[in-house]
Amino acid sequence: MFTFFLVFSVLPPLQFSGYRAPAPQRPLAIDFFERRSSLRRLEGFLLLVSLALSIVYRFVRMPRTSTTKKTGQSNSSTAANAAASNKASSKESERIDQLFYVYANRSLGLIDPEGIEKMCSDMEVDHTDVRILMLAWKMQAEKQGYFTLEEWRRGLKAMRVDTIVKLKKALPDLEKEVRRTSNFVDFYSYAFRYCLTEEKQKSIDIESICQLLDLVLGNLFRAQVDYLVEYLKIQTEYKVINMDQWMGFYRFFNEISFPDFNDYDPEHAWPLILDNFVDWMNAKKR
């Protein structure tokens, strides 16, 4: 059999018409070893895949556990902080209320003019200081010379103060806040409304307007205020000033050059009282 195998493996295949010799078959021993080797490689590959999946599983799982713990700790910390903040806010509100009743008229349930004077005395600030008017603006107080508990809370919480010492220290910052252009127009109009002490009152007497001009605009437009106050006191045509005229004063001081008034145009929508004031000023120059 061995000789037969060698002869046919060397000789070329016989050629017969219509006949083709079959392809030589691989020895069984070689097939067996190759299949065995393939199986081993497959087993090795599957083992590597298994190890890789195990590593990936652990890698993915670990951060989730950590994140869960961190999230739990974060939620717990947030809740604790919120509770502490609420407790602090509650204590602050209590101190604000206690301070209110130091100055309040108990029978009225309000801080009245006497209480405001006592508060100013404790802060070593004159009760006519413009910053007291700014404080009323911050509280949005409705009635001149009186603060309600609600107004007091609104103002002091916004300023984050709960003692008279803190309130005194906060006044410079309050003044800076009011002096900002975005706030000052609102404060200026509030000052007029605050002085409307009677129901349905829409205008203020000349004497009070002169005092208010000096208080609110004196530091910003000293010369203009002095001349306008002088004119208002000597003129006889107007006994009171309304809101439109009051707002016109501030716009006039902001927009018109002084004392030459070169850019003043009486054809523009200025209150008539300002036309008269400009004529009076020009007459003084002659």
Side-chain angles (χ1 to χ4, degrees), residues 12-60:
L14 296 176
Q15 298 295 327
F16 296 98
S17 178
Y19 170 81
R20 179 175 292 178
Q25 296 183 355
R26 294 166 59 84
L28 293 176
I30 293 175
D31 274 351
F32 173 76
F33 285 112
E34 285 186 353
R35 290 178 181 176
R36 186 173 181 182
S37 176
S38 297
L39 287 173
R40 286 178 177 175
R41 285 197 299 271
L42 180 60
E43 289 175 354
F45 173 75
L46 292 175
L47 179 61
L48 289 173
V49 170
S50 176
L51 288 172
L53 289 174
S54 177
I55 292 171
V56 170
Y57 176 75
R58 291 180 182 179
F59 178 78
V60 171

Side-chain angles (χ1 to χ4, degrees), residues 24-171:
Q25 296 183 355
R26 294 166 59 84
L28 293 176
I30 293 175
D31 274 351
F32 173 76
F33 285 112
E34 285 186 353
R35 290 178 181 176
R36 186 173 181 182
S37 176
S38 297
L39 287 173
R40 286 178 177 175
R41 285 197 299 271
L42 180 60
E43 289 175 354
F45 173 75
L46 292 175
L47 179 61
L48 289 173
V49 170
S50 176
L51 288 172
L53 289 174
S54 177
I55 292 171
V56 170
Y57 176 75
R58 291 180 182 179
F59 178 78
V60 171
R61 187 179 179 187
M62 286 175 64
R64 289 181 180 177
T65 304
S66 176
T67 301
T68 301
K69 290 181 179 179
K70 287 181 180 179
T71 301
Q73 292 172 356
S74 175
N75 290 339
S76 176
S77 176
T78 301
N81 290 338
S85 176
N86 290 336
K87 186 176 181 180
S89 178
S90 176
K91 289 290 185 182
E92 181 187 56
S93 296
E94 289 178 11
R95 290 190 293 269
I96 288 174
D97 287 2
Q98 290 170 0
L99 186 61
F100 174 84
Y101 288 108
V102 170
Y103 302 107
N105 181 319
R106 296 278 178 165
S107 61
L108 297 176
L110 301 168
I111 296 179
D112 59 10
E114 184 178 344
I116 291 177
E117 286 192 23
K118 184 177 186 303
M119 177 190 71
C120 291
S121 176
D122 289 346
M123 292 193 296
E124 299 177 333
V125 175
D126 193 278
H127 70 279
T128 61
D129 192 303
V130 69
R131 292 175 296 179
I132 303 306
L133 180 58
M134 292 174 176
L135 181 60
W137 169 81
K138 192 68 176 178
M139 295 181 187
Q140 288 298 293
E142 293 184 2
K143 187 176 181 181
Q144 187 184 59
Y146 294 87
F147 298 150
T148 67
L149 178 58
E150 182 181 354
E151 292 165 351
W152 181 265
R153 285 171 176 169
R154 183 190 301 133
L156 269 64
K157 283 182 179 179
M159 296 170 68
R160 298 181 178 179
V161 299
D162 53 18
T163 68
I164 198 65
V165 174
K166 290 180 182 178
L167 182 56
K168 179 181 178 180
K169 290 181 178 179
L171 291 180

Side-chain angles (χ1 to χ4, degrees), residues 162-211:
D162 53 18
T163 68
I164 198 65
V165 174
K166 290 180 182 178
L167 182 56
K168 179 181 178 180
K169 290 181 178 179
L171 291 180
D173 288 336
L174 175 60
E175 185 170 8
K176 290 179 183 177
E177 179 185 350
V178 172
R179 296 295 183 192
R180 289 199 292 267
T181 304
S182 57
N183 291 328
F184 190 78
V185 174
D186 184 67
F187 167 71
Y188 182 76
S189 63
Y190 170 82
F192 185 90
R193 296 193 305 273
Y194 189 61
C195 292
L196 300 175
T197 56
E198 304 295 331
E199 187 177 356
K200 296 183 179 180
Q201 182 181 349
K202 294 184 179 181
S203 57
I204 300 174
D205 66 274
I206 291 293
E207 183 180 353
S208 297
I209 281 293
C210 290
Q211 294 174 356

Side-chain angles (χ1 to χ4, degrees), residues 261-279:
F261 306 119
N262 287 336
D263 46 2
Y264 182 78
D265 185 350
E267 298 300 321
H268 289 177
W270 294 106
L272 182 59
I273 192 172
L274 285 171
D275 292 340
N276 298 340
F277 171 63
V278 172
D279 291 341

